[in-house]
Amino acid sequence: MDFESRRTFSWKEIQHLLIAWLALGLAFSISYINDLRLFMEVFMISLLTVGTGFIGHELTHKFVAQRYGCLAEFRMWPLGLIFALFFAIISEGRFIFAAPGAVYITPVSFGLGSVITNRENGIISLSGPLTNALLALIFFPLTFYSGLLYEIGLFGFFINLLLAAFNLIPIPPMDGYKVFVWNKGIWAVTFVPLIIVVILLI
């Protein structure tokens, strides 16, 4: 299998990404279902903010893994999506268990064999949270506006910051554990400032 063929998206992967994206958008807006206008507004905001964070996080994992010569494809976790909708409904949107799926990475053998080193695995894992941190910075300037732009900016900023910090928690199978195993200094420099900001905001 050549390098270019490993860079492509399969139709199954595209389907899984779309389903997970729509399910997350629904989970974050389902508590407004009784008001159709408000529901549609929150649903679109959720698709833009949570969806951007989710898609960006997973695709960055995919692309960085591919740069290291790996096969990498996203697969949704149906039970995780069901949990997300279930907890969103029973908690009226106050608690959402979001575990939509993951990018599955497989090293490709080139005759002598190929494995992912701790460094490569750490960089692949770190790329997702860093993407969320970057997206948080992109959304942040919108908080200086009012109305719909303010709502998009505030939610996009906070949810991406939360995603970045949460995924860097150093316990398996989180991204943070793989980064911690690779380089504890880099893990601390990224995780500590993020978790401090999240705690202050909460």
Side-chain angles (χ1 to χ4, degrees):
M1 183 178 294
D2 58 53
F3 179 70
E4 286 303 318
S5 64
R6 294 199 301 272
R7 290 175 62 87
T8 59
F9 288 87
S10 69
W11 175 237
K12 183 176 184 179
E13 181 178 27
I14 293 171
Q15 287 179 310
H16 281 219
L17 283 166
L18 287 173
I19 292 170
W21 179 43
L22 292 171
L24 283 177
L26 181 59
F28 278 86
S29 55
I30 201 166
S31 60
Y32 301 94
I33 195 70
N34 292 327
D35 186 331
L36 183 59
R37 185 197 63 79
L38 185 58
F39 167 76
M40 290 305 300
E41 179 180 320
V42 176
F43 180 61
M44 296 307 295
I45 292 174
S46 297
L47 289 180
L48 178 61
T49 54
V50 181
T52 301
F54 156 66
I55 295 288
H57 182 105
E58 298 300 340
L59 291 190
T60 305
H61 282 323
K62 175 185 175 73
F63 296 146
V64 175
Q66 288 175 331
R67 290 298 301 173
Y68 286 119
C70 300
L71 293 172
E73 282 213 345
F74 174 81
R75 288 294 180 266
M76 66 179 180
W77 183 33
L79 187 59
L81 296 176
I82 292 171
F83 279 151
L85 293 171
F86 174 74
F87 283 114
I89 292 170
I90 65 171
S91 70
E92 297 182 345
R94 288 187 291 271
F95 174 77
I96 298 174
F97 174 84
V103 171
Y104 290 85
I105 299 168
T106 306
V108 178
S109 174
F110 293 99
L112 296 177
S114 178
V115 296
I116 302 176
T117 65
N118 280 343
R119 178 180 179 274
E120 291 167 344
N121 201 26
I123 292 172
I124 292 168
S125 300
L126 182 61
S127 66
L130 286 183
T131 297
N132 290 125
L134 177 60
L135 286 169
L137 292 176
I138 291 173
F139 278 110
F140 181 70
L142 296 180
T143 62
F144 294 101
Y145 292 86
S146 60
L148 184 59
L149 285 179
Y150 170 78
E151 294 177 16
I152 293 173
L154 184 64
F155 195 57
F157 171 70
F158 182 73
I159 198 67
N160 276 285
L161 206 61
L162 189 62
L163 283 171
F166 177 75
N167 279 282
L168 281 172
I169 294 173
I171 57 173
M174 308 298 288
D175 293 329
Y177 175 74
K178 300 161 196 171
V179 178
F180 187 83
V181 168
W182 161 49
N183 191 307
K184 296 176 177 60
I186 290 177
W187 170 82
V189 167
T190 52
F191 177 71
V192 173
L194 283 170
I195 197 66
I196 289 174
V197 174
V198 168
I199 291 172
L200 290 175
L201 289 174
I202 291 175

